[in-house]
Amino acid sequence: MGERRRWVWLVAALAAVLVVAGIGIALVNRQPGPAASTPSETTTTTPTTSAERTSTPTPTADGYAANTATYDVTTLPQVNVFAVIPALPVDDDPFTMPLTETAVARGVGAPVWADPADEPVAYVPHEYPYGGTVLPVVERQEHWVKVLLTGRRAMPSAGDPGQVTGWLRTADVDVTPSAGLGVVVSIANRTIDIVHADGAHERIANDFAWGADATPTPVGRTFVMTTRTVPEYAYTRGHPIVYWAVQSPTLEGFDGADVAPAAFHYHDTRSGPVSNGCIRVDPDAITRLSALPPGTPVMITP
């Protein structure tokens, strides 16, 4: 089929998933991923905003040694929304906001390490049709950065599907200051704030819908993976859908698809624990959220 028809078909599939499930992307023709592994235990701490961390992070004096080896990234699994890569670690500090920097791979892509002392386990592409390539930095060293990634370590039925992380060499990426924005969602308080670089909190919602008990909203830190508008579908009322990098903790996929990323989106029913994991908001809130650039940190607290 023609490129225009193919793109329309892909976007239609994406939106159809959200119509049925209220969460996720219905994408096609994925490469099968490796089998999932045992889940990792994560910790819960008090969240801090980006403004409470240094706005210009300085590499630490002590860190992993430089690695100057050459790698053919095409031989490694690609990190993307479809990927299930058991070697990737689940985030071990989920309630601390990332630093105010993002990393983007140079060239075709950059190798990813679970442990910089070992060999790379995957690679992140420079570009990908469904986003997820502008990566929040959560730790900075002289030779390495630790970032949040898309994809999963495991399907929910086989392990921990939570937010994954990895290490990149600074020589392989462009690290730039971010816009200084972040999103903080409190399910308990039913509030959504955009946090600015100066620490100011802009309240954009005092109520919203979140995941039901069997299909909870994932909590902890993640980031904006991609934002798409599909006006042909009535449930959005013409508003954009802001997808996160993290996926459902209980759902493996929807309507034949095997991906389940959560998102901010408009919905007529938008109060209480009624969704399959997405945060449903009003028109003003989704307008503000859809203006945020890819890679913007999103913190969701219970």
Side-chain angles (χ1 to χ4, degrees):
M1 62 181 69
E3 182 62 24
R4 178 179 175 83
R5 291 182 60 197
R6 181 174 181 272
W7 181 251
V8 170
W9 180 69
L10 285 171
V11 173
L14 183 151
V17 167
L18 280 168
V19 172
V20 173
I23 177 178
I25 299 177
L27 304 175
V28 295
N29 295 332
R30 73 176 292 274
Q31 295 297 318
S37 65
T38 304
S40 294
E41 181 179 354
T42 57
T43 59
T44 301
T45 59
T46 302
T48 58
T49 68
S50 57
E52 293 171 314
R53 302 174 70 92
T54 175
S55 59
T56 54
T58 302
T60 58
D62 297 320
Y64 291 107
N67 177 332
T68 59
T70 300
Y71 299 94
D72 179 1
V73 297
T74 63
T75 65
L76 298 168
Q78 186 185 84
V79 173
N80 59 51
V81 66
F82 300 111
V84 179
I85 304 175
L88 290 177
V90 173
D91 192 5
D92 62 357
D93 189 14
F95 290 98
T96 297
M97 285 291 275
L99 304 177
T100 54
E101 292 183 314
T102 56
V104 176
R106 296 174 179 168
V108 175
V112 178
W113 279 258
D115 181 347
D118 294 329
E119 292 299 307
V121 298
Y123 88 98
V124 61
H126 174 72
E127 294 181 327
Y128 189 70
Y130 301 105
T133 57
V134 181
L135 308 171
V137 175
V138 298
E139 184 175 340
R140 178 84 179 271
Q141 298 181 2
E142 181 179 1
H143 304 295
W144 299 87
V145 289
K146 187 179 182 182
V147 297
L148 303 181
L149 298 167
T150 59
R152 292 184 277 195
R153 178 181 182 176
M155 291 293 193
S157 62
D160 189 339
Q163 176 66 55
V164 289
T165 66
W167 289 90
L168 307 172
R169 298 183 296 191
T170 55
D172 296 328
V173 296
D174 291 316
V175 178
T176 58
S178 63
L181 300 176
V183 182
V184 177
V185 178
S186 170
I187 294 176
N189 295 327
R190 299 193 183 190
T191 58
I192 302 175
D193 289 357
I194 294 178
V195 184
H196 296 263
D198 61 0
H201 285 237
E202 175 189 355
R203 180 64 47 83
I204 64 169
N206 287 295
D207 193 19
F208 53 82
W210 65 94
D213 289 345
T215 54
T217 297
V219 297
R221 63 187 178 185
T222 186
F223 63 97
V224 174
M225 178 177 69
T226 190
T227 298
R228 297 173 183 272
T229 301
V230 190
E232 296 85 356
Y233 290 89
Y235 82 98
T236 66
R237 306 298 186 193
H239 296 288
I241 303 164
V242 182
Y243 294 98
W244 313 335
V246 72
Q247 302 194 31
S248 169
T250 59
L251 298 174
E252 302 196 350
F254 303 101
D255 197 28
D258 53 2
V259 288
F264 295 116
H265 67 83
Y266 174 86
H267 199 284
D268 290 340
T269 303
R270 53 178 186 271
S271 183
V274 297
S275 82
N276 278 342
C278 283
I279 299 292
R280 300 176 178 179
V281 296
D282 66 21
D284 290 342
I286 198 60
T287 297
R288 289 291 291 116
L289 292 164
S290 65
L292 299 173
T296 297
V298 176
M299 175 67 74
I300 303 162
T301 61

